[in-house]
Amino acid sequence: MTVLTPEEIRQGLADNARAPYGAARNARAETLAAAAESSGDRGLFRQALDQLIDAYEWSAERTKMVVPFARLLQEYDRDPTAFPGYEVHGLFWRFKWVAGRIVESPEIPLAAVERWLTDMERRYRLAGYSERAVRQAEFHLADATGDEARMDRAAAAWTAAARDRMSDCHACEINTQGWYWARKGEDAKAIEVWEPVLSGGKSCMEEPHRVLAHSLLPLVRLGRLDEARSHHLRGYRMARGNDSLLRSVGKHIEFCALTGNESRGLEILAEHATHLGPLTDVESQMEFAGGVLVLLRRLVDLGHGDRPAVPYQGAPQTVHELYERLSADATSIAARFDARNGTPHVSERLAERIGRQPLVDVLPLGVRSAALPAATAPVGAGQPGTASPHTAATAALDFAALVEHARIARQQGRPSADALWARVGELADAGKELPDAAVAADLLEFRARTAARAGAEQARGLYAHAADAHRAAGEQARAAYALLGVAGTAAQAGGEAGEIRHLLAVAAEAARALDEADPARARRIAAAELTTLQIESYLRGRETPEEDGQPVDPALTAALEDFVTAHGTDVRPDVADVLAEAELVLARIALTIGDLDRAEPLLTSAAHHCLVAERPWEAAEPLSLRARVLAARDDREGAEAVARTALGHAAELTDPEEQAAVRLTLAEILLRRPGGADEAAAHALDAAHWLDQAGLTATGGARARLLLARAYAEAERTAEAAEVLQSALPDLLEHGEEEAVGARRMLGGLLRGLHDQRAAAEQYLLAAETAKGWDNPRPQASLAHSAAEALSAAGLREESRQAYGRALELWRRAGDNPVGEVRVLRSLAWLTVESGAGEEEYGRARALMEQALAVLEGAEEPELRYERAQTWQQLAALLEDSLNEDEAADEEASRAGETAVRAEAVALLDRAAAGYGALGEGALRERFQCAVRAAWTEHALGRPQDGISRMTALIADLGELEGAEAAELAGQAEQVRKQLG
């Protein structure tokens, strides 16, 4: 075996300290610690032990730190004077970690745990530390053993003791104190305690990650569902893939299981399936498995026990099989703790957790999750999900009352009518005897309508049977309706034109033949007339598809205009909704050709006529369209008011797509209003949920999620926006190149806001690749530019340089964006001199800056004048930076050359300041920065009085301006003047 030298060990420790936490880092740390011990260098051995303990702490092998810490403690007891002050502090700091890890190790006897705690208390007292950390360690021991009285005493003593250098960070203490209250059932108190971490005021390496996970179920129990959703989206993003946060991941899975998001829980489980086997940290294994078991039990209850789950150590498992395996693992671990502690506390707490029932039926999360397939086994009696799709009130009706209720709902045109007739059909199929032939005909008609909506072939035959049945039952008006259905389904099936026209004529004649006293006659005649107009337009389109190349059928438009005119005077309530339908069709035709002036009054009238017909739910669509028209005219207040009215009228709608459309309209309008983003997000979230219910997750649902992500981003809820958009991205990529590029660009911006620069660059580059074949190079140039900035921020200099070069090439090809070209040139200049630059590199960088100035030469537009001033300012900074480099490399550099460079920098700064000054107060701060830098450069040239004069003139100029910014900058300039003096 190769023996490492001390220098090689030190280099290995330095390299490993930069490696990601996890098993690989732990293994390397173990090897280096063994090598350090063999080297005989005690200081190096201590350093290696410190790193090994740290590696274990931030991984899934935390409990392994006890052995190296014991070795480190032996080293200290052998010779305390060998430990520098910072090593002593590190030793006592890590003592707290070990106190927690031994509690989490069931193989360590309780007596030994108590001895460790006693030793910790003795050592802390002798070292002069507060007992705060000791009592916190005792608190964890009492919690683990279920000693409530001791836990309460320890908690009181812990919080009463003074904070000192050994106290946990504020965020970690708040985490533990909050779940103490949650454990006692005080959810509101727990959230109150956690608030400083949840709001971002306190944080550390693992906070707010853990607190966000702890807060999920308390928030749901308190009914604060929006916050629970937000904490899940933010918190899971932080915990995902982190070995040391498996317990938090388990809590997110449990949250999904108890809020109707079982599919989302399965997706999270799949991302962490490799951690399902035995772990070194058995308590983390048990806690993670506990959250998974809640999900698996819920899936079994819903009838999904036989469906495939994730593998266990590479072996395929069904949900039920995985449940049994994990249950055995977790209960075995709990039994080991109970045997060590002498109480059944751990097993009881695990059993209580696994048995938890859902807290809400469903809490929409906004992220895209695949719907669960149909259950492969019946759900047990009394389990959630067993109810038929009808209301509890309907279930309580007797059959005769149900039929009457269904007939009234149909007559009134209520959206609930279909569900009522579906229930009638269920009971009839189950053997319930129909009251009479009329009900049998009604049921046939409902089944025909249902088949027609599904595009089923049997729809026409069902309508024909329904017409016959209605006639036999003496229901001539219903028969006329069914005959119109026969004609409509014939057209839907692509039937022969002559036959379809004959069927329409038969239906129209049946309507006209109704008794004059029949209250349905006028409605049947109007409906037949309108249907005939629309089907005739369809038939004309089939016969002459290329006629005039017109986007709309002028004959249909004219016919509809005549229909509206004929029925628009003294509108009868029973025909008003048919008239509204015609107006809505006309309005859509107007919108197709961009005639907003024609569309708006038609939409207004259609909505009014729906209300006249006492069918407010049908007014939702024309009102929603009118709101969009008003928004297009920039009447934001009017658009919002109309959209809210539409949403109010949509209350009875049962079609999920219709519900979604109304909410999306309002969400889009609100997103344009300052301060409207949070409410827009709520409506977009609802819309996404409705579209999922409609089976449109990949189409309309994806666009709703895109809108939701925009709303979250506008509300500065960046992590939630990124999580939602990433979940919808696979669907959006299928919506065409333009939408794919837009989604990736937006996601890249969100990831940059989350400081995930590498991932952001990846999205920009993928979007640029998609736009590669477009005729217009501007989108690709912009994306390459953004990718270069992200790569530079990630420290990937060479990759950034290449991306900047590509962006420059594209901006030049586009030829109409000098700002983009100039900014790329400046960025390339700074990349050229980032590290180890010499005279040659600074020369190339200067040349790039001068190229940028050449691009802007003679420009008069304010934006370009600003960029020119920016370039002068940055060139001045580059020149002074080159002097600093020269001084470091050659202290005997020519003083004359240095003076010339500084003088040139001052001249450039003066030009930049003048350029900013010409732009007014919008560039006041930039002008101030140039003046201050010029003053200090004068000082470096040995001319401090000139620098003071510059500040005096600047203060005078600022004094002539009004506003807080000018006053603030004047105060800062006065400070600089004093410093120069």
Side-chain angles (χ1 to χ4, degrees):
M1 184 178 70
T2 303
V3 177
L4 298 177
T5 66
E7 187 55 41
E8 288 172 332
I9 296 170
R10 289 188 181 88
Q11 185 59 49
L13 290 171
D15 293 341
N16 205 38
R18 292 189 290 270
Y21 287 105
R25 177 166 174 166
N26 293 355
R28 181 63 174 155
E30 290 165 356
T31 300
L32 292 169
E37 183 175 19
S38 299
S39 74
D41 185 329
R42 310 316 297 174
L44 185 59
F45 182 43
R46 296 195 302 272
Q47 182 184 354
L49 288 173
D50 281 344
Q51 282 210 11
L52 180 56
I53 294 167
D54 290 355
Y56 285 148
E57 170 64 12
W58 307 111
S59 74
E61 299 181 317
R62 282 177 162 172
T63 52
K64 291 175 71 173
M65 73 168 61
V66 177
V67 173
F69 181 80
R71 297 294 306 279
L72 190 62
L73 199 58
Q74 288 174 358
E75 290 289 313
Y76 179 76
D77 289 340
R78 179 184 303 155
D79 184 8
T81 62
F83 280 61
Y86 72 89
E87 286 191 15
V88 174
H89 179 274
L91 175 75
F92 278 87
W93 184 264
R94 291 176 178 84
F95 213 132
K96 300 182 306 176
W97 294 353
V98 175
R101 301 300 84 81
I102 58 175
V103 171
E104 296 166 359
S105 304
E107 66 275 5
I108 299 179
L110 204 56
V113 177
E114 293 283 7
R115 285 197 298 273
W116 270 94
L117 188 60
T118 301
D119 188 41
M120 178 184 178
E121 183 173 12
R122 177 184 65 83
R123 289 176 184 271
Y124 271 47
R125 185 172 58 251
L126 291 174
Y129 294 126
S130 161
E131 69 168 348
R132 189 178 181 94
V134 178
R135 298 284 78 83
Q136 184 177 355
E138 182 184 10
F139 169 87
H140 284 293
L141 173 59
D143 173 65
T145 58
D147 189 338
E148 293 284 336
R150 186 181 186 185
M151 184 170 69
D152 291 343
R153 291 194 304 271
W158 161 28
T159 54
R163 284 187 58 83
D164 63 4
R165 296 174 65 206
M166 283 301 115
S167 301
D168 260 359
C169 78
H170 278 287
C172 289
E173 283 201 336
I174 288 169
N175 168 26
T176 309
Q177 290 164 5
W179 65 249
Y180 165 67
W181 289 107
R183 188 72 55 83
K184 295 173 76 70
E186 298 280 353
D187 289 333
K189 177 68 174 177
I191 299 298
E192 179 185 349
V193 170
W194 282 324
E195 181 54 31
V197 175
L198 295 174
S199 64
K202 303 290 183 184
S203 63
C204 70
M205 190 168 179
E206 289 191 338
E207 299 299 351
H209 317 44
R210 295 183 299 174
V211 168
L212 287 166
H214 284 313
S215 70
L216 295 172
L217 296 186
L219 284 169
V220 176
R221 288 193 291 262
L222 290 169
R224 295 163 64 172
L225 303 183
D226 288 341
E227 292 169 82
R229 176 192 303 111
S230 173
H231 291 190
H232 169 65
L233 295 178
R234 290 170 53 206
Y236 178 61
R237 187 175 189 85
M238 294 176 173
R240 178 192 285 130
N242 193 325
D243 286 0
S244 68
L245 293 173
L246 279 178
R247 301 177 194 222
S248 296
V249 172
K251 289 183 179 296
H252 284 281
I253 292 174
E254 178 181 7
F255 164 78
C256 291
L258 301 182
T259 57
N261 291 287
E262 297 84 5
S263 181
R264 166 77 167 170
L266 275 173
E267 291 171 357
I268 296 174
L269 174 58
E271 292 180 353
H272 297 84
T274 55
H275 296 290
L276 286 177
L279 300 177
T280 301
D281 181 352
V282 295
E283 186 174 62
S284 285
Q285 179 186 345
M286 179 181 68
E287 291 292 327
F288 175 56
V292 176
L293 285 166
V294 177
L295 172 66
L296 296 175
R297 180 200 55 75
R298 177 70 183 142
L299 289 169
V300 170
D301 288 349
L302 290 173
H304 296 287
D306 293 332
R307 68 161 287 171
V310 299
Y312 179 89
Q313 295 187 300
Q317 306 283 308
T318 66
V319 169
H320 182 76
E321 289 169 344
L322 185 59
Y323 177 86
E324 293 298 326
R325 186 178 290 275
L326 291 184
S327 179
D329 290 347
T331 54
S332 174
I333 294 170
R336 289 163 60 189
F337 276 107
D338 290 345
R340 192 273 302 269
N341 298 336
T343 73
H345 173 68
V346 176
S347 293
E348 290 174 352
R349 193 157 66 188
L350 176 65
E352 182 275 329
R353 182 184 188 186
I354 296 172
R356 288 173 182 165
Q357 293 299 310
L359 299 172
V360 293
D361 289 337
V362 62
L363 171 59
L365 298 178
V367 290
R368 189 236 204 266
S369 292
L372 290 173
T376 56
V379 181
Q383 294 294 344
T386 57
S388 297
H390 59 276
T391 65
T394 302
L397 296 173
D398 63 36
F399 191 56
L402 174 65
V403 170
E404 183 62 22
H405 197 48
R407 280 180 158 173
I408 292 172
R410 183 187 63 192
Q411 181 183 354
Q412 295 173 343
R414 293 191 176 277
S416 60
D418 281 350
L420 294 167
W421 282 112
R423 180 58 177 160
V424 171
E426 288 177 11
L427 294 175
D429 290 343
K432 199 77 173 178
E433 185 177 350
L434 296 176
D436 51 46
V439 176
D442 288 337
L443 192 53
L444 263 176
E445 178 192 307
F446 165 71
R447 287 173 171 163
R449 187 166 58 252
T450 303
R453 287 172 180 167
E457 293 181 4
Q458 66 267 34
R460 178 177 173 179
L462 287 171
Y463 267 126
H465 288 313
D468 291 340
H470 279 311
R471 278 194 293 264
E475 296 282 347
Q476 301 302 325
R478 297 309 311 170
Y481 171 85
L483 288 171
L484 198 58
V486 173
T489 50
Q492 183 181 11
E496 193 272 324
E499 181 190 18
I500 294 170
R501 290 188 172 107
H502 170 70
L503 293 172
L504 286 169
V506 169
E509 179 57 33
R512 288 192 294 272
L514 292 174
D515 191 291
E516 291 284 349
D518 192 323
R521 183 174 185 273
R523 177 180 178 78
R524 290 285 170 266
I525 293 172
E529 183 180 349
L530 179 58
T531 301
T532 300
L533 293 178
Q534 292 174 295
I535 292 180
E536 278 290 350
S537 176
Y538 157 72
L539 293 175
R540 282 194 298 275
R542 272 179 26 181
E543 292 164 352
T544 55
E546 303 295 331
E547 185 177 358
D548 300 329
Q550 296 184 18
V552 297
D553 177 5
L556 174 63
T557 303
L560 287 170
E561 295 278 9
D562 291 343
F563 181 91
V564 169
T565 300
H567 293 277
T569 305
D570 297 327
V571 180
R572 296 172 48 136
D574 57 337
V575 180
D577 64 305
V578 181
L579 174 60
E581 183 182 347
E583 290 171 323
L584 183 57
V585 174
L586 273 175
R588 287 190 176 280
I589 291 172
L591 291 174
T592 300
I593 60 176
D595 189 351
L596 302 186
D597 291 338
R598 177 65 181 129
E600 188 188 348
L602 284 166
L603 293 168
T604 302
S605 181
H608 168 70
H609 287 137
C610 290
L611 299 180
V612 169
E614 297 183 350
R615 298 186 178 202
W617 48 88
E618 292 184 3
E621 183 179 2
L623 286 172
S624 186
L625 286 172
R626 181 175 174 235
R628 289 183 177 275
V629 170
L630 292 172
R633 289 174 162 173
D634 208 28
D635 181 359
R636 298 183 185 181
E637 290 185 7
E640 182 179 336
V642 173
R644 290 190 185 281
T645 303
L647 183 60
H649 288 323
E652 284 195 56
L653 290 176
T654 57
D655 183 277
E657 198 170 354
E658 292 176 351
Q659 286 281 5
V662 176
R663 284 162 172 77
L664 285 175
T665 296
L666 181 54
E668 289 173 5
I669 291 167
L670 287 168
L671 199 51
R672 300 182 186 184
R673 172 168 65 77
D678 279 318
E679 188 183 354
H683 292 302
L685 177 71
D686 285 346
H689 180 63
W690 279 109
L691 289 163
D692 288 346
Q693 300 303 304
L696 300 172
T697 297
T699 52
R703 293 191 175 93
R705 288 183 171 84
L706 180 60
L707 182 63
L708 174 59
R710 285 176 50 207
Y712 278 151
E714 182 69 24
E716 299 183 357
R717 297 162 67 174
T718 309
E720 295 164 72
E723 196 71 8
V724 168
L725 185 53
Q726 277 185 306
S727 76
L729 187 61
D731 293 328
L732 292 169
L733 295 180
E734 301 299 320
H735 290 191
E737 289 187 350
E738 187 172 343
E739 195 154 350
V741 167
R744 286 199 186 278
R745 183 194 293 275
M746 180 180 173
L747 181 56
L750 293 170
L751 293 170
R752 290 204 72 182
L754 295 170
H755 309 294
D756 193 349
Q757 303 291 352
R758 286 174 180 257
E762 179 184 9
Q763 292 301 324
Y764 289 134
L765 291 171
L766 288 169
E769 185 64 25
T770 301
K772 192 174 183 178
W774 295 1
D775 293 336
N776 183 356
R778 284 186 291 275
Q780 190 187 358
S782 173
L783 290 162
H785 195 159
S786 297
E789 292 174 339
L791 290 165
S792 178
L796 300 172
R797 294 184 180 86
E798 186 53 39
E799 293 86 347
S800 175
R801 188 176 289 109
Q802 291 175 12
Y804 273 126
R806 179 62 176 154
L808 181 60
E809 174 192 342
L810 290 163
W811 282 133
R812 285 175 170 169
R813 187 192 303 171
D816 61 353
N817 193 329
V819 172
E821 185 177 350
V822 164
R823 290 179 178 177
V824 168
L825 287 166
R826 291 200 305 250
S827 297
L828 282 170
W830 287 111
L831 273 176
T832 302
V833 298
E834 264 200 341
S835 60
E839 184 176 345
E840 181 181 348
E841 287 78 15
Y842 274 98
R844 290 203 303 270
R846 174 167 187 155
L848 289 165
M849 289 286 189
E850 288 172 346
Q851 284 185 48
L853 288 170
V855 171
L856 297 166
E857 186 174 358
E860 293 301 325
E861 297 90 337
E863 183 182 21
L864 299 184
R865 287 158 55 198
Y866 177 86
E867 292 299 328
R868 184 163 53 206
Q870 275 275 302
T871 308
W872 283 327
Q873 183 181 359
Q874 291 193 34
L875 178 54
L878 181 73
L879 292 175
E880 293 200 279
D881 191 62
S882 70
L883 286 178
N884 295 334
E885 291 291 332
D886 289 344
E887 289 170 357
D890 182 3
E891 294 182 3
E892 298 181 5
S894 167
R895 184 66 181 173
E898 178 184 329
T899 300
V901 170
R902 291 194 191 280
E904 184 181 3
V906 170
L908 286 166
L909 289 166
D910 283 342
R911 294 175 75 180
Y916 289 134
L919 294 171
E921 295 187 29
L924 188 59
R925 192 168 294 275
E926 289 88 342
R927 177 190 169 195
F928 169 82
Q929 292 168 348
C930 289
V932 170
R933 182 151 194 159
W936 282 112
T937 305
E938 296 276 24
H939 186 280
L941 286 167
R943 305 194 297 249
Q945 192 56 49
D946 288 350
I948 292 171
S949 298
R950 286 174 178 276
M951 287 297 98
T952 301
L954 178 62
I955 292 168
D957 288 347
L958 291 170
E960 295 179 2
L961 300 176
E962 297 180 357
E965 184 178 33
E968 175 198 346
L969 295 177
Q972 294 178 21
E974 181 60 42
Q975 291 297 317
V976 173
R977 182 167 66 175
K978 290 178 181 178
Q979 292 166 358
L980 287 166

